[in-house]
Structures are given as structure tokens and as C-alpha cells.
PDB file of all heavy atoms in Angstrom:
ATOM      1  N   ALA A   1      11.217-103.178 162.770  1.00 98.00           N
ATOM      2  CA  ALA A   1      11.766-104.004 161.698  1.00 98.00           C
ATOM      3  C   ALA A   1      12.700-103.195 160.803  1.00 98.00           C
ATOM      4  O   ALA A   1      13.735-103.704 160.347  1.00 98.00           O
ATOM      5  CB  ALA A   1      10.633-104.613 160.882  1.00 98.00           C
ATOM      6  N   VAL A   2      12.353-101.957 160.528  1.00 98.00           N
ATOM      7  CA  VAL A   2      13.212-101.086 159.726  1.00 98.00           C
ATOM      8  C   VAL A   2      14.556-100.891 160.420  1.00 98.00           C
ATOM      9  O   VAL A   2      15.630-101.003 159.805  1.00 98.00           O
ATOM     10  CB  VAL A   2      12.541 -99.715 159.477  1.00 98.00           C
ATOM     11  CG1 VAL A   2      13.541 -98.713 158.898  1.00 98.00           C
ATOM     12  CG2 VAL A   2      11.355 -99.870 158.532  1.00 98.00           C
ATOM     13  N   LEU A   3      14.526-100.615 161.707  1.00 98.00           N
ATOM     14  CA  LEU A   3      15.767-100.383 162.443  1.00 98.00           C
ATOM     15  C   LEU A   3      16.617-101.643 162.526  1.00 98.00           C
ATOM     16  O   LEU A   3      17.856-101.571 162.517  1.00 98.00           O
ATOM     17  CB  LEU A   3      15.449 -99.856 163.844  1.00 98.00           C
ATOM     18  CG  LEU A   3      14.832 -98.450 163.887  1.00 98.00           C
ATOM     19  CD1 LEU A   3      14.356 -98.119 165.290  1.00 98.00           C
ATOM     20  CD2 LEU A   3      15.841 -97.407 163.409  1.00 98.00           C
ATOM     21  N   ALA A   4      15.974-102.790 162.595  1.00 98.00           N
ATOM     22  CA  ALA A   4      16.706-104.059 162.695  1.00 98.00           C
ATOM     23  C   ALA A   4      17.395-104.422 161.389  1.00 98.00           C
ATOM     24  O   ALA A   4      18.426-105.116 161.387  1.00 98.00           O
ATOM     25  CB  ALA A   4      15.763-105.177 163.118  1.00 98.00           C
ATOM     26  N   ASP A   5      16.841-103.975 160.268  1.00 98.00           N
ATOM     27  CA  ASP A   5      17.419-104.253 158.954  1.00 98.00           C
ATOM     28  C   ASP A   5      18.307-103.076 158.567  1.00 98.00           C
ATOM     29  O   ASP A   5      17.818-102.043 158.114  1.00 98.00           O
ATOM     30  CB  ASP A   5      16.304-104.443 157.928  1.00 98.00           C
ATOM     31  CG  ASP A   5      16.828-104.717 156.528  1.00 98.00           C
ATOM     32  OD1 ASP A   5      18.066-104.764 156.352  1.00 98.00           O
ATOM     33  OD2 ASP A   5      15.998-104.890 155.614  1.00 98.00           O
ATOM     34  N   LEU A   6      19.606-103.227 158.728  1.00 96.00           N
ATOM     35  CA  LEU A   6      20.519-102.106 158.535  1.00 96.00           C
ATOM     36  C   LEU A   6      20.553-101.596 157.099  1.00 96.00           C
ATOM     37  O   LEU A   6      21.033-100.483 156.845  1.00 96.00           O
ATOM     38  CB  LEU A   6      21.933-102.505 158.972  1.00 96.00           C
ATOM     39  CG  LEU A   6      22.082-102.923 160.443  1.00 96.00           C
ATOM     40  CD1 LEU A   6      23.535-103.216 160.758  1.00 96.00           C
ATOM     41  CD2 LEU A   6      21.536-101.839 161.372  1.00 96.00           C
ATOM     42  N   ASP A   7      20.051-102.392 156.163  1.00 98.00           N
ATOM     43  CA  ASP A   7      20.014-101.949 154.769  1.00 98.00           C
ATOM     44  C   ASP A   7      18.726-101.204 154.408  1.00 98.00           C
ATOM     45  O   ASP A   7      18.661-100.555 153.359  1.00 98.00           O
ATOM     46  CB  ASP A   7      20.152-103.158 153.830  1.00 98.00           C
ATOM     47  CG  ASP A   7      21.540-103.778 153.890  1.00 98.00           C
ATOM     48  OD1 ASP A   7      22.506-103.033 154.131  1.00 98.00           O
ATOM     49  OD2 ASP A   7      21.646-105.003 153.719  1.00 98.00           O
ATOM     50  N   ALA A   8      17.723-101.304 155.268  1.00 98.00           N
ATOM     51  CA  ALA A   8      16.433-100.681 154.967  1.00 98.00           C
ATOM     52  C   ALA A   8      16.569 -99.161 154.878  1.00 98.00           C
ATOM     53  O   ALA A   8      16.981 -98.512 155.839  1.00 98.00           O
ATOM     54  CB  ALA A   8      15.409-101.061 156.036  1.00 98.00           C
ATOM     55  N   TYR A   9      16.257 -98.630 153.712  1.00 98.00           N
ATOM     56  CA  TYR A   9      16.265 -97.193 153.425  1.00 98.00           C
ATOM     57  C   TYR A   9      17.655 -96.562 153.518  1.00 98.00           C
ATOM     58  O   TYR A   9      17.784 -95.335 153.463  1.00 98.00           O
ATOM     59  CB  TYR A   9      15.297 -96.438 154.350  1.00 98.00           C
ATOM     60  CG  TYR A   9      13.869 -96.919 154.218  1.00 98.00           C
ATOM     61  CD1 TYR A   9      13.346 -97.852 155.128  1.00 98.00           C
ATOM     62  CD2 TYR A   9      13.058 -96.493 153.181  1.00 98.00           C
ATOM     63  CE1 TYR A   9      12.044 -98.330 154.996  1.00 98.00           C
ATOM     64  CE2 TYR A   9      11.753 -96.963 153.047  1.00 98.00           C
ATOM     65  CZ  TYR A   9      11.264 -97.887 153.954  1.00 98.00           C
ATOM     66  OH  TYR A   9       9.974 -98.359 153.816  1.00 98.00           O
ATOM     67  N   ALA A  10      18.688 -97.379 153.623  1.00 98.00           N
ATOM     68  CA  ALA A  10      20.039 -96.830 153.690  1.00 98.00           C
ATOM     69  C   ALA A  10      20.427 -96.137 152.387  1.00 98.00           C
ATOM     70  O   ALA A  10      21.022 -95.050 152.394  1.00 98.00           O
ATOM     71  CB  ALA A  10      21.040 -97.930 154.027  1.00 98.00           C
ATOM     72  N   GLU A  11      20.085 -96.747 151.261  1.00 98.00           N
ATOM     73  CA  GLU A  11      20.433 -96.156 149.971  1.00 98.00           C
ATOM     74  C   GLU A  11      19.665 -94.854 149.748  1.00 98.00           C
ATOM     75  O   GLU A  11      20.192 -93.909 149.146  1.00 98.00           O
ATOM     76  CB  GLU A  11      20.145 -97.136 148.841  1.00 98.00           C
ATOM     77  CG  GLU A  11      20.400 -96.562 147.438  1.00 98.00           C
ATOM     78  CD  GLU A  11      21.787 -95.959 147.270  1.00 98.00           C
ATOM     79  OE1 GLU A  11      22.748 -96.441 147.921  1.00 98.00           O
ATOM     80  OE2 GLU A  11      21.914 -94.999 146.482  1.00 98.00           O
ATOM     81  N   GLU A  12      18.430 -94.775 150.252  1.00 98.00           N
ATOM     82  CA  GLU A  12      17.660 -93.532 150.118  1.00 98.00           C
ATOM     83  C   GLU A  12      18.346 -92.388 150.866  1.00 98.00           C
ATOM     84  O   GLU A  12      18.386 -91.250 150.381  1.00 98.00           O
ATOM     85  CB  GLU A  12      16.234 -93.729 150.647  1.00 98.00           C
ATOM     86  CG  GLU A  12      15.340 -94.548 149.731  1.00 98.00           C
ATOM     87  CD  GLU A  12      15.508 -96.055 149.908  1.00 98.00           C
ATOM     88  OE1 GLU A  12      16.496 -96.490 150.544  1.00 98.00           O
ATOM     89  OE2 GLU A  12      14.654 -96.798 149.407  1.00 98.00           O
ATOM     90  N   VAL A  13      18.882 -92.694 152.030  1.00 98.00           N
ATOM     91  CA  VAL A  13      19.603 -91.672 152.797  1.00 98.00           C
ATOM     92  C   VAL A  13      20.848 -91.232 152.035  1.00 98.00           C
ATOM     93  O   VAL A  13      21.116 -90.031 151.882  1.00 98.00           O
ATOM     94  CB  VAL A  13      19.991 -92.206 154.186  1.00 98.00           C
ATOM     95  CG1 VAL A  13      20.835 -91.172 154.938  1.00 98.00           C
ATOM     96  CG2 VAL A  13      18.748 -92.556 154.999  1.00 98.00           C
ATOM     97  N   ARG A  14      21.618 -92.181 151.547  1.00 98.00           N
ATOM     98  CA  ARG A  14      22.849 -91.864 150.825  1.00 98.00           C
ATOM     99  C   ARG A  14      22.548 -91.085 149.535  1.00 98.00           C
ATOM    100  O   ARG A  14      23.303 -90.178 149.158  1.00 98.00           O
ATOM    101  CB  ARG A  14      23.608 -93.143 150.489  1.00 98.00           C
ATOM    102  CG  ARG A  14      24.085 -93.935 151.695  1.00 98.00           C
ATOM    103  CD  ARG A  14      24.910 -93.100 152.638  1.00 98.00           C
ATOM    104  NE  ARG A  14      25.439 -93.871 153.746  1.00 98.00           N
ATOM    105  CZ  ARG A  14      25.718 -93.386 154.941  1.00 98.00           C
ATOM    106  NH1 ARG A  14      25.501 -92.090 155.181  1.00 98.00           N
ATOM    107  NH2 ARG A  14      26.216 -94.150 155.895  1.00 98.00           N
ATOM    108  N   ALA A  15      21.446 -91.443 148.869  1.00 98.00           N
ATOM    109  CA  ALA A  15      21.072 -90.726 147.645  1.00 98.00           C
ATOM    110  C   ALA A  15      20.771 -89.258 147.949  1.00 98.00           C
ATOM    111  O   ALA A  15      21.172 -88.356 147.193  1.00 98.00           O
ATOM    112  CB  ALA A  15      19.868 -91.392 146.986  1.00 98.00           C
ATOM    113  N   ASP A  16      20.068 -89.007 149.037  1.00 98.00           N
ATOM    114  CA  ASP A  16      19.789 -87.622 149.447  1.00 98.00           C
ATOM    115  C   ASP A  16      21.093 -86.866 149.694  1.00 98.00           C
ATOM    116  O   ASP A  16      21.243 -85.699 149.304  1.00 98.00           O
ATOM    117  CB  ASP A  16      18.955 -87.605 150.733  1.00 98.00           C
ATOM    118  CG  ASP A  16      17.469 -87.765 150.470  1.00 98.00           C
ATOM    119  OD1 ASP A  16      17.070 -87.845 149.301  1.00 98.00           O
ATOM    120  OD2 ASP A  16      16.708 -87.812 151.458  1.00 98.00           O
ATOM    121  N   GLU A  17      22.029 -87.526 150.345  1.00 98.00           N
ATOM    122  CA  GLU A  17      23.284 -86.857 150.683  1.00 98.00           C
ATOM    123  C   GLU A  17      24.120 -86.578 149.442  1.00 98.00           C
ATOM    124  O   GLU A  17      24.761 -85.520 149.329  1.00 98.00           O
ATOM    125  CB  GLU A  17      24.046 -87.708 151.696  1.00 98.00           C
ATOM    126  CG  GLU A  17      23.328 -87.779 153.035  1.00 98.00           C
ATOM    127  CD  GLU A  17      23.961 -88.722 154.039  1.00 98.00           C
ATOM    128  OE1 GLU A  17      24.666 -89.661 153.626  1.00 98.00           O
ATOM    129  OE2 GLU A  17      23.735 -88.515 155.249  1.00 98.00           O
ATOM    130  N   ARG A  18      24.104 -87.499 148.486  1.00 97.00           N
ATOM    131  CA  ARG A  18      24.817 -87.250 147.224  1.00 97.00           C
ATOM    132  C   ARG A  18      24.174 -86.084 146.472  1.00 97.00           C
ATOM    133  O   ARG A  18      24.868 -85.233 145.903  1.00 97.00           O
ATOM    134  CB  ARG A  18      24.788 -88.512 146.355  1.00 97.00           C
ATOM    135  CG  ARG A  18      25.672 -89.645 146.853  1.00 97.00           C
ATOM    136  CD  ARG A  18      25.843 -90.721 145.781  1.00 97.00           C
ATOM    137  NE  ARG A  18      24.590 -91.354 145.419  1.00 97.00           N
ATOM    138  CZ  ARG A  18      24.110 -92.455 145.996  1.00 97.00           C
ATOM    139  NH1 ARG A  18      24.783 -93.038 146.986  1.00 97.00           N
ATOM    140  NH2 ARG A  18      22.969 -92.993 145.592  1.00 97.00           N
ATOM    141  N   GLU A  19      22.851 -86.044 146.488  1.00 97.00           N
ATOM    142  CA  GLU A  19      22.146 -84.977 145.788  1.00 97.00           C
ATOM    143  C   GLU A  19      22.426 -83.620 146.429  1.00 97.00           C
ATOM    144  O   GLU A  19      22.564 -82.611 145.738  1.00 97.00           O
ATOM    145  CB  GLU A  19      20.647 -85.257 145.777  1.00 97.00           C
ATOM    146  CG  GLU A  19      19.898 -84.483 144.728  1.00 97.00           C
ATOM    147  CD  GLU A  19      18.519 -85.053 144.455  1.00 97.00           C
ATOM    148  OE1 GLU A  19      18.011 -85.862 145.266  1.00 97.00           O
ATOM    149  OE2 GLU A  19      17.944 -84.680 143.418  1.00 97.00           O
ATOM    150  N   ALA A  20      22.520 -83.599 147.745  1.00 96.00           N
ATOM    151  CA  ALA A  20      22.856 -82.350 148.438  1.00 96.00           C
ATOM    152  C   ALA A  20      24.209 -81.829 147.973  1.00 96.00           C
ATOM    153  O   ALA A  20      24.379 -80.629 147.712  1.00 96.00           O
ATOM    154  CB  ALA A  20      22.864 -82.577 149.951  1.00 96.00           C
ATOM    155  N   ALA A  21      25.170 -82.735 147.848  1.00 95.00           N
ATOM    156  CA  ALA A  21      26.502 -82.334 147.385  1.00 95.00           C
ATOM    157  C   ALA A  21      26.450 -81.809 145.959  1.00 95.00           C
ATOM    158  O   ALA A  21      27.091 -80.800 145.622  1.00 95.00           O
ATOM    159  CB  ALA A  21      27.460 -83.523 147.480  1.00 95.00           C
ATOM    160  N   GLN A  22      25.650 -82.453 145.103  1.00 95.00           N
ATOM    161  CA  GLN A  22      25.522 -82.017 143.721  1.00 95.00           C
ATOM    162  C   GLN A  22      24.886 -80.633 143.620  1.00 95.00           C
ATOM    163  O   GLN A  22      25.197 -79.848 142.724  1.00 95.00           O
ATOM    164  CB  GLN A  22      24.704 -83.029 142.926  1.00 95.00           C
ATOM    165  CG  GLN A  22      25.405 -84.372 142.734  1.00 95.00           C
ATOM    166  CD  GLN A  22      24.461 -85.463 142.230  1.00 95.00           C
ATOM    167  OE1 GLN A  22      23.270 -85.228 142.020  1.00 95.00           O
ATOM    168  NE2 GLN A  22      24.994 -86.655 142.045  1.00 95.00           N
ATOM    169  N   LEU A  23      23.981 -80.335 144.557  1.00 94.00           N
ATOM    170  CA  LEU A  23      23.308 -79.031 144.560  1.00 94.00           C
ATOM    171  C   LEU A  23      24.151 -77.944 145.208  1.00 94.00           C
ATOM    172  O   LEU A  23      23.765 -76.778 145.207  1.00 94.00           O
ATOM    173  CB  LEU A  23      21.967 -79.148 145.289  1.00 94.00           C
ATOM    174  CG  LEU A  23      20.874 -79.951 144.577  1.00 94.00           C
ATOM    175  CD1 LEU A  23      19.688 -80.198 145.504  1.00 94.00           C
ATOM    176  CD2 LEU A  23      20.412 -79.231 143.310  1.00 94.00           C
ATOM    177  N   GLY A  24      25.275 -78.341 145.792  1.00 92.00           N
ATOM    178  CA  GLY A  24      26.159 -77.360 146.409  1.00 92.00           C
ATOM    179  C   GLY A  24      25.878 -77.074 147.867  1.00 92.00           C
ATOM    180  O   GLY A  24      26.368 -76.079 148.411  1.00 92.00           O
ATOM    181  N   ALA A  25      25.107 -77.939 148.522  1.00 92.00           N
ATOM    182  CA  ALA A  25      24.800 -77.729 149.940  1.00 92.00           C
ATOM    183  C   ALA A  25      25.981 -78.200 150.791  1.00 92.00           C
ATOM    184  O   ALA A  25      26.329 -79.380 150.772  1.00 92.00           O
ATOM    185  CB  ALA A  25      23.547 -78.490 150.322  1.00 92.00           C
ATOM    186  N   THR A  26      26.585 -77.293 151.513  1.00 89.00           N
ATOM    187  CA  THR A  26      27.692 -77.644 152.404  1.00 89.00           C
ATOM    188  C   THR A  26      27.269 -77.622 153.867  1.00 89.00           C
ATOM    189  O   THR A  26      28.034 -77.990 154.748  1.00 89.00           O
ATOM    190  CB  THR A  26      28.872 -76.685 152.200  1.00 89.00           C
ATOM    191  OG1 THR A  26      28.421 -75.331 152.431  1.00 89.00           O
ATOM    192  CG2 THR A  26      29.420 -76.792 150.786  1.00 89.00           C
ATOM    193  N   GLY A  27      26.067 -77.171 154.128  1.00 91.00           N
ATOM    194  CA  GLY A  27      25.535 -77.128 155.477  1.00 91.00           C
ATOM    195  C   GLY A  27      24.026 -77.152 155.437  1.00 91.00           C
ATOM    196  O   GLY A  27      23.416 -77.061 154.358  1.00 91.00           O
ATOM    197  N   VAL A  28      23.428 -77.280 156.602  1.00 97.00           N
ATOM    198  CA  VAL A  28      21.971 -77.339 156.692  1.00 97.00           C
ATOM    199  C   VAL A  28      21.489 -76.414 157.806  1.00 97.00           C
ATOM    200  O   VAL A  28      22.251 -76.079 158.711  1.00 97.00           O
ATOM    201  CB  VAL A  28      21.495 -78.796 156.948  1.00 97.00           C
ATOM    202  CG1 VAL A  28      21.601 -79.607 155.676  1.00 97.00           C
ATOM    203  CG2 VAL A  28      22.257 -79.487 158.068  1.00 97.00           C
ATOM    204  N   PRO A  29      20.207 -75.991 157.727  1.00 97.00           N
ATOM    205  CA  PRO A  29      19.184 -76.403 156.764  1.00 97.00           C
ATOM    206  C   PRO A  29      19.433 -75.810 155.381  1.00 97.00           C
ATOM    207  O   PRO A  29      19.996 -74.728 155.246  1.00 97.00           O
ATOM    208  CB  PRO A  29      17.883 -75.861 157.369  1.00 97.00           C
ATOM    209  CG  PRO A  29      18.323 -74.636 158.118  1.00 97.00           C
ATOM    210  CD  PRO A  29      19.659 -75.004 158.700  1.00 97.00           C
ATOM    211  N   PHE A  30      18.990 -76.541 154.374  1.00 97.00           N
ATOM    212  CA  PHE A  30      19.123 -76.105 152.982  1.00 97.00           C
ATOM    213  C   PHE A  30      17.786 -76.353 152.299  1.00 97.00           C
ATOM    214  O   PHE A  30      17.319 -77.486 152.229  1.00 97.00           O
ATOM    215  CB  PHE A  30      20.238 -76.881 152.288  1.00 97.00           C
ATOM    216  CG  PHE A  30      20.585 -76.362 150.922  1.00 97.00           C
ATOM    217  CD1 PHE A  30      21.216 -75.142 150.758  1.00 97.00           C
ATOM    218  CD2 PHE A  30      20.294 -77.113 149.789  1.00 97.00           C
ATOM    219  CE1 PHE A  30      21.540 -74.662 149.491  1.00 97.00           C
ATOM    220  CE2 PHE A  30      20.617 -76.648 148.523  1.00 97.00           C
ATOM    221  CZ  PHE A  30      21.245 -75.419 148.372  1.00 97.00           C
ATOM    222  N   PHE A  31      17.161 -75.277 151.839  1.00 97.00           N
ATOM    223  CA  PHE A  31      15.824 -75.334 151.257  1.00 97.00           C
ATOM    224  C   PHE A  31      15.928 -75.159 149.744  1.00 97.00           C
ATOM    225  O   PHE A  31      16.593 -74.232 149.271  1.00 97.00           O
ATOM    226  CB  PHE A  31      14.941 -74.220 151.826  1.00 97.00           C
ATOM    227  CG  PHE A  31      14.777 -74.249 153.327  1.00 97.00           C
ATOM    228  CD1 PHE A  31      15.788 -73.790 154.166  1.00 97.00           C
ATOM    229  CD2 PHE A  31      13.605 -74.726 153.904  1.00 97.00           C
ATOM    230  CE1 PHE A  31      15.642 -73.809 155.549  1.00 97.00           C
ATOM    231  CE2 PHE A  31      13.448 -74.743 155.282  1.00 97.00           C
ATOM    232  CZ  PHE A  31      14.476 -74.292 156.101  1.00 97.00           C
ATOM    233  N   VAL A  32      15.266 -76.031 149.001  1.00 97.00           N
ATOM    234  CA  VAL A  32      15.260 -75.937 147.544  1.00 97.00           C
ATOM    235  C   VAL A  32      13.810 -75.856 147.079  1.00 97.00           C
ATOM    236  O   VAL A  32      13.005 -76.752 147.367  1.00 97.00           O
ATOM    237  CB  VAL A  32      15.965 -77.147 146.898  1.00 97.00           C
ATOM    238  CG1 VAL A  32      15.869 -77.061 145.371  1.00 97.00           C
ATOM    239  CG2 VAL A  32      17.427 -77.206 147.332  1.00 97.00           C
ATOM    240  N   LEU A  33      13.492 -74.779 146.369  1.00 97.00           N
ATOM    241  CA  LEU A  33      12.123 -74.535 145.919  1.00 97.00           C
ATOM    242  C   LEU A  33      12.020 -74.831 144.432  1.00 97.00           C
ATOM    243  O   LEU A  33      12.657 -74.150 143.614  1.00 97.00           O
ATOM    244  CB  LEU A  33      11.714 -73.087 146.192  1.00 97.00           C
ATOM    245  CG  LEU A  33      11.521 -72.678 147.659  1.00 97.00           C
ATOM    246  CD1 LEU A  33      12.851 -72.498 148.377  1.00 97.00           C
ATOM    247  CD2 LEU A  33      10.718 -71.386 147.761  1.00 97.00           C
ATOM    248  N   ASP A  34      11.255 -75.868 144.092  1.00 94.00           N
ATOM    249  CA  ASP A  34      11.029 -76.256 142.698  1.00 94.00           C
ATOM    250  C   ASP A  34      12.327 -76.422 141.910  1.00 94.00           C
ATOM    251  O   ASP A  34      12.347 -76.186 140.704  1.00 94.00           O
ATOM    252  CB  ASP A  34      10.119 -75.239 142.002  1.00 94.00           C
ATOM    253  CG  ASP A  34       8.664 -75.715 141.969  1.00 94.00           C
ATOM    254  OD1 ASP A  34       8.381 -76.826 142.450  1.00 94.00           O
ATOM    255  OD2 ASP A  34       7.812 -74.964 141.451  1.00 94.00           O
ATOM    256  N   ARG A  35      13.376 -76.815 142.567  1.00 93.00           N
ATOM    257  CA  ARG A  35      14.688 -77.007 141.935  1.00 93.00           C
ATOM    258  C   ARG A  35      15.138 -75.767 141.162  1.00 93.00           C
ATOM    259  O   ARG A  35      15.933 -75.863 140.231  1.00 93.00           O
ATOM    260  CB  ARG A  35      14.674 -78.241 141.023  1.00 93.00           C
ATOM    261  CG  ARG A  35      14.523 -79.560 141.796  1.00 93.00           C
ATOM    262  CD  ARG A  35      15.700 -79.730 142.752  1.00 93.00           C
ATOM    263  NE  ARG A  35      15.562 -80.867 143.630  1.00 93.00           N
ATOM    264  CZ  ARG A  35      16.238 -82.016 143.473  1.00 93.00           C
ATOM    265  NH1 ARG A  35      17.067 -82.162 142.455  1.00 93.00           N
ATOM    266  NH2 ARG A  35      16.080 -82.990 144.343  1.00 93.00           N
ATOM    267  N   THR A  36      14.659 -74.610 141.612  1.00 92.00           N
ATOM    268  CA  THR A  36      14.997 -73.349 140.957  1.00 92.00           C
ATOM    269  C   THR A  36      15.669 -72.377 141.911  1.00 92.00           C
ATOM    270  O   THR A  36      16.630 -71.696 141.553  1.00 92.00           O
ATOM    271  CB  THR A  36      13.734 -72.682 140.372  1.00 92.00           C
ATOM    272  OG1 THR A  36      13.117 -73.583 139.462  1.00 92.00           O
ATOM    273  CG2 THR A  36      14.073 -71.390 139.641  1.00 92.00           C
ATOM    274  N   TYR A  37      15.167 -72.307 143.137  1.00 93.00           N
ATOM    275  CA  TYR A  37      15.708 -71.386 144.127  1.00 93.00           C
ATOM    276  C   TYR A  37      16.198 -72.156 145.343  1.00 93.00           C
ATOM    277  O   TYR A  37      15.588 -73.153 145.752  1.00 93.00           O
ATOM    278  CB  TYR A  37      14.648 -70.367 144.569  1.00 93.00           C
ATOM    279  CG  TYR A  37      14.272 -69.384 143.494  1.00 93.00           C
ATOM    280  CD1 TYR A  37      13.181 -69.610 142.675  1.00 93.00           C
ATOM    281  CD2 TYR A  37      15.022 -68.234 143.291  1.00 93.00           C
ATOM    282  CE1 TYR A  37      12.833 -68.717 141.670  1.00 93.00           C
ATOM    283  CE2 TYR A  37      14.690 -67.340 142.299  1.00 93.00           C
ATOM    284  CZ  TYR A  37      13.597 -67.578 141.494  1.00 93.00           C
ATOM    285  OH  TYR A  37      13.273 -66.697 140.496  1.00 93.00           O
ATOM    286  N   GLY A  38      17.289 -71.685 145.928  1.00 95.00           N
ATOM    287  CA  GLY A  38      17.810 -72.286 147.141  1.00 95.00           C
ATOM    288  C   GLY A  38      17.906 -71.253 148.252  1.00 95.00           C
ATOM    289  O   GLY A  38      18.218 -70.083 147.998  1.00 95.00           O
ATOM    290  N   VAL A  39      17.604 -71.679 149.467  1.00 96.00           N
ATOM    291  CA  VAL A  39      17.746 -70.824 150.642  1.00 96.00           C
ATOM    292  C   VAL A  39      18.590 -71.597 151.641  1.00 96.00           C
ATOM    293  O   VAL A  39      18.243 -72.699 152.046  1.00 96.00           O
ATOM    294  CB  VAL A  39      16.382 -70.473 151.266  1.00 96.00           C
ATOM    295  CG1 VAL A  39      16.590 -69.622 152.524  1.00 96.00           C
ATOM    296  CG2 VAL A  39      15.499 -69.747 150.270  1.00 96.00           C
ATOM    297  N   SER A  40      19.710 -71.015 152.027  1.00 96.00           N
ATOM    298  CA  SER A  40      20.632 -71.686 152.935  1.00 96.00           C
ATOM    299  C   SER A  40      20.539 -71.093 154.328  1.00 96.00           C
ATOM    300  O   SER A  40      20.559 -69.872 154.499  1.00 96.00           O
ATOM    301  CB  SER A  40      22.070 -71.554 152.412  1.00 96.00           C
ATOM    302  OG  SER A  40      22.972 -72.212 153.275  1.00 96.00           O
ATOM    303  N   GLY A  41      20.400 -71.951 155.334  1.00 96.00           N
ATOM    304  CA  GLY A  41      20.399 -71.499 156.716  1.00 96.00           C
ATOM    305  C   GLY A  41      19.019 -71.199 157.263  1.00 96.00           C
ATOM    306  O   GLY A  41      18.018 -71.194 156.537  1.00 96.00           O
TER     307      GLY A  41
END
């Protein structure tokens, strides 16, 4: 049912992607620890 509804969780995915850009992530994997430390790659 989730897959059939193209809007289901779509905004959650887009929100994650916007947040990644705000945090400066240009590639993945990107690890963020307590919103204080980041580990890239």
C-alpha cells in the first residue's frame, strides 16, 4: 500500500535530503553524532 501511494512518506524523504544539504553533506555515507560531530565516508 505504501508503494502504491506515491505520496506516502515522500515528504519525509525530501525533508531528509534538504537537511543533509543544510548540514553540508555532499556525499554519503554521512554520520552525524548528536548533531555535534560529523563523519564523512
